[in-house]
Amino acid sequence: MNEQKTAVVIGAGIGGIAAAARLARQGFRVTVVEKNEKPGGRCNQIIREGHRFDIGPTLFLMPEIFAETYAALGERLEDHLDLRRIDPTYTVHFPDGLKLQLTADLLKMQPQLDAVEENAFDGFLRYLAEGNKHYHISLEKFVGRNFYNIFQYFSLGNLPLLFQLKALTKHYTNVGSYFADPRLKAAFTFQNMYLGLSPYDAPATYSLLQYTELAGGVWYPMGGMYRVIETLTAIAEKLGVRFSYNSPVKQIIIKDDRVSGVLLENGSLLTADLFVGNADLPYIYENLLPDFQEAKKLEQQKYTCSTIMFYWGVDKVFPEIGHHNVFLAGDYKMSFESIFKNHTLPDEPSFYVHAPARTDLTCAPAGQDTLMVLVPVGHLDETQDQDWDSLVHRARETVFDRLASQLGVSDLRQHIKFEVAYTPSVWQEEFNLAKGAAFGLSHNFTQVGYLRPQNRHARYKNLYFAGASTHPGTGLPIVLLSAKLTTERIMKEYGLYNEQQASQFTRQLREA
């Protein structure tokens, strides 16, 4: 470039960090403004009294996508992250006492599944084969590429693939082709909650989630998931990216159908050639842009669920609790209806417990434990009577009761030194997530691919987006893809696109 181009990124979530670093790698001078005191967004951490908690994501999936991000920045993942595979991936507990340890070891999976349902292992192998197909077709043809118009998305080449991906079939309905026992159906569909979705609404395409876990593995970066943020931020800074924390944006300034600058709450005005919004997309449209009609459209779209989170510093180790633990509700369908239709806490909630000190002893002081509990719940809804103090109390008591009845952990509450609790209001206030929806916009058929909000503003041509609520969607590895695709679009529209680099990414994924 004859003259160095400049960019401002709004938000230092993982998508904003990765997009900033990719742009800097291509010669842009980049500034990132972040409302909070440190980077990470939802992928953040709490450190208190020697206990370290991952606030949001705890599952490191699709390592090949992370590896591509580091490689695109001139680095090697293995030089920055010490990954440990977690296997069994987690233990799934049912109210009737059934316990399944999901593992990549097929010799251990077969007796567990066949004990629940005759020939269930055969169905499991067929289900994994379908997940394998869905994963690779999705990544190469839909998730890992930009769509610049609707005809590219619904092209003659893509239409048969949408049917192969079972995009119009509900996930829970589809899993009935492989298992009859409702507990097995639940064990292989609850993963939709990683995306904040109900398996009764999610496309059957998402059988790819179970494939990524058992084939690609569930991993843990020593030091916690926040190590990903720390290392990518350090790489971005080495590439010249400047981060400005405690710098909330007040307004995106528009002039002649282009963004001319970003006005901060402190009165500072930042100008640049282009801008990337990494804050939650509905928040940007509603609060930072004068696009009231578009904000109204986004308000009416479907949103993912929210969560009640407990972060417990415990003065005793509870070895009965494994690294990843899932406790599923007895009335599985009703639990999802309560969350997604009534926007509340189910009468019988499912929940997840993370005990990272089983793998990483630095997460807690010696002889103590660090526990994080995630309870899915409906997002904020002004039309509903949502008594969050009461719902948090009931969620907490549910966790205590099931840990006592199913694991024999009867004295946990007496050993909790401190508790930090997050509700949908916290997700909204701390991270600017519309409706407190912890995973952003939903991923039903009409909100994926080209039908999902695009990664460039339709009118303001120098305003781009990267993050969970734009294409291709939510989840750490997918948001990394979002940063890649957004940067790719910028480079193409600024005449700097490298076709060889793009094809190299596709080859890497095929090899992986």
Side-chain angles (χ1 to χ4, degrees):
M1 289 180 286
N2 296 326
E3 183 180 339
Q4 188 177 30
K5 298 290 185 182
T6 56
V8 169
V9 178
I10 303 170
I14 191 170
I17 298 167
R22 284 177 179 270
L23 287 172
R25 174 83 166 159
Q26 297 299 326
F28 282 76
R29 188 170 75 251
V30 186
T31 299
V32 179
V33 290
E34 164 59 42
K35 72 180 284 285
N36 293 320
E37 63 183 5
K38 58 184 179 180
R42 283 161 280 185
C43 186
N44 223 303
Q45 65 177 358
I46 296 171
I47 297 178
R48 182 170 169 181
E49 297 180 25
H51 297 267
R52 187 182 67 241
F53 306 85
D54 286 317
I55 288 179
T58 58
L59 300 173
F60 189 102
L61 300 170
M62 305 181 190
E64 65 274 17
I65 293 178
F66 287 86
E68 187 279 332
T69 297
Y70 284 88
L73 303 178
E75 304 283 340
R76 298 193 319 151
L77 178 147
E78 52 268 34
D79 293 335
H80 295 274
L81 299 179
D82 178 7
L83 296 180
R84 308 293 174 88
R85 185 162 184 168
I86 308 300
D87 196 86
T89 55
Y90 36 68
T91 303
V92 184
H93 300 269
F94 297 87
D96 63 2
L98 175 66
K99 180 174 71 174
L100 291 176
Q101 287 194 325
L102 300 188
T103 170
D105 187 334
L106 297 181
L107 294 178
K108 291 181 180 178
M109 280 294 286
Q110 182 169 10
Q112 292 187 85
L113 297 178
D114 285 346
V116 177
E117 176 187 324
E118 186 178 1
N119 296 323
F121 184 68
D122 293 341
F124 169 72
L125 293 180
R126 290 186 290 111
Y127 188 62
L128 277 188
E130 177 185 272
N132 168 55
K133 180 175 73 173
H134 287 179
Y135 176 73
H136 289 95
I137 292 176
S138 296
L139 205 56
E140 185 173 339
K141 300 295 186 180
F142 293 98
V143 177
R145 59 160 294 183
N146 282 310
F147 294 98
Y148 296 96
N149 58 65
I150 198 167
F151 302 106
Q152 287 182 342
Y153 187 60
F154 289 114
S155 67
L156 291 177
N158 277 357
L159 281 175
L161 297 180
L162 289 171
F163 286 100
Q164 287 184 40
L165 292 172
K166 300 184 177 180
L168 298 175
T169 304
K170 303 304 183 187
H171 195 181
Y172 192 84
T173 301
N174 181 63
V175 81
S177 302
Y178 303 97
F179 308 105
D181 192 287
R183 294 168 298 179
L184 295 183
K185 292 181 183 179
F188 293 104
T189 56
F190 79 83
Q191 294 86 351
N192 289 172
M193 293 300 290
Y194 300 168
L195 305 177
L197 302 177
S198 164
Y200 294 93
D201 294 326
T205 310
Y206 291 123
S207 60
L208 64 85
L209 292 170
Q210 294 74 48
Y211 169 79
T212 62
E213 288 182 342
L214 296 174
V218 171
W219 301 80
Y220 177 83
M222 298 299 283
M225 294 293 288
Y226 197 66
R227 286 295 299 148
V228 179
I229 299 300
E230 291 175 326
T231 57
L232 286 178
T233 301
I235 292 168
E237 289 176 331
K238 188 170 74 170
L239 290 169
V241 176
R242 185 177 73 86
F243 288 85
S244 178
Y245 301 112
N246 297 309
S247 301
V249 173
K250 182 178 182 179
Q251 184 181 357
I252 295 174
I253 307 299
I254 305 299
K255 183 179 180 181
D256 299 329
D257 285 343
R258 288 180 66 82
V259 175
S260 62
V262 166
L263 179 65
L264 304 185
E265 291 283 359
N266 65 11
S268 300
L269 179 66
L270 302 179
T271 59
D273 294 304
L274 65 91
F275 300 82
V276 179
N278 179 233
D280 193 37
L281 191 73
Y283 175 84
I284 292 176
Y285 276 97
E286 183 176 356
N287 296 279
L288 304 184
L289 286 171
D291 291 12
F292 304 115
Q293 287 299 113
E294 191 63 31
K296 192 66 177 176
K297 289 180 185 177
L298 288 174
E299 165 73 20
Q300 295 170 351
Q301 291 207 357
K302 286 190 175 182
Y303 284 74
T304 56
C305 70
S306 191
T307 61
I308 292 172
M309 311 289 293
F310 299 110
Y311 307 96
W312 290 330
V314 183
D315 65 10
K316 170 186 174 181
V317 176
F318 288 93
E320 304 92 335
I321 303 174
H323 190 120
H324 297 297
N325 314 265
V326 175
F327 294 80
L328 294 180
D331 194 336
Y332 190 64
K333 184 174 184 179
M334 182 59 69
S335 71
F336 286 106
E337 289 185 357
S338 296
I339 293 169
F340 291 94
K341 292 184 179 179
N342 302 325
H343 300 149
T344 188
L345 178 72
D347 292 337
E348 186 183 353
S350 299
F351 62 92
Y352 159 77
V353 182
H354 184 225
R358 298 302 164 272
T359 302
D360 186 351
L361 294 177
T362 67
C363 290
Q368 301 188 32
D369 228 342
T370 292
L371 301 177
M372 180 267 261
V373 180
L374 182 157
V375 187
V377 68
H379 61 61
L380 296 173
D381 184 349
E382 295 178 353
T383 68
Q384 301 287 335
D385 180 17
Q386 296 174 310
D387 182 348
W388 289 108
D389 288 341
S390 174
L391 296 177
V392 167
H393 173 76
R394 186 157 63 83
R396 185 188 296 113
E397 293 303 311
T398 295
V399 174
F400 287 149
D401 290 347
R402 285 199 68 177
L403 289 178
S405 64
Q406 296 203 251
L407 298 186
V409 177
S410 58
D411 58 342
L412 174 57
R413 74 174 75 225
Q414 292 94 314
H415 289 280
I416 294 177
K417 300 190 300 179
F418 65 84
E419 172 186 281
V420 178
Y422 276 28
T423 63
S425 296
V426 176
W427 292 118
Q428 183 181 56
E429 293 161 10
E430 290 292 319
F431 304 105
N432 289 339
L433 297 175
K435 302 178 185 289
F439 308 87
L441 289 175
S442 188
H443 294 77
N444 54 305
F445 180 75
T446 59
Q447 292 181 198
V448 294
Y450 185 76
L451 305 178
R452 194 170 184 79
Q454 292 297 289
N455 53 15
R456 194 199 67 187
H457 196 282
R459 182 176 175 185
Y460 314 131
K461 305 299 186 184
N462 66 333
L463 176 58
Y464 299 83
F465 305 104
S469 289
T470 186
H471 175 68
T474 194
L476 282 189
I478 305 305
V479 171
L480 286 177
L481 281 180
S482 171
K484 175 190 177 294
L485 295 178
T486 299
T487 308
E488 179 182 291
R489 182 167 192 162
I490 291 170
M491 302 304 289
K492 185 172 288 188
E493 292 177 355
Y494 278 76
L496 304 167
Y497 183 65
N498 188 325
E499 193 72 50
Q500 185 177 1
Q501 289 179 349
S503 60
Q504 181 182 6
F505 170 70
T506 303
R507 287 198 305 272
Q508 288 174 340
L509 291 182
R510 283 174 176 165
E511 291 168 1

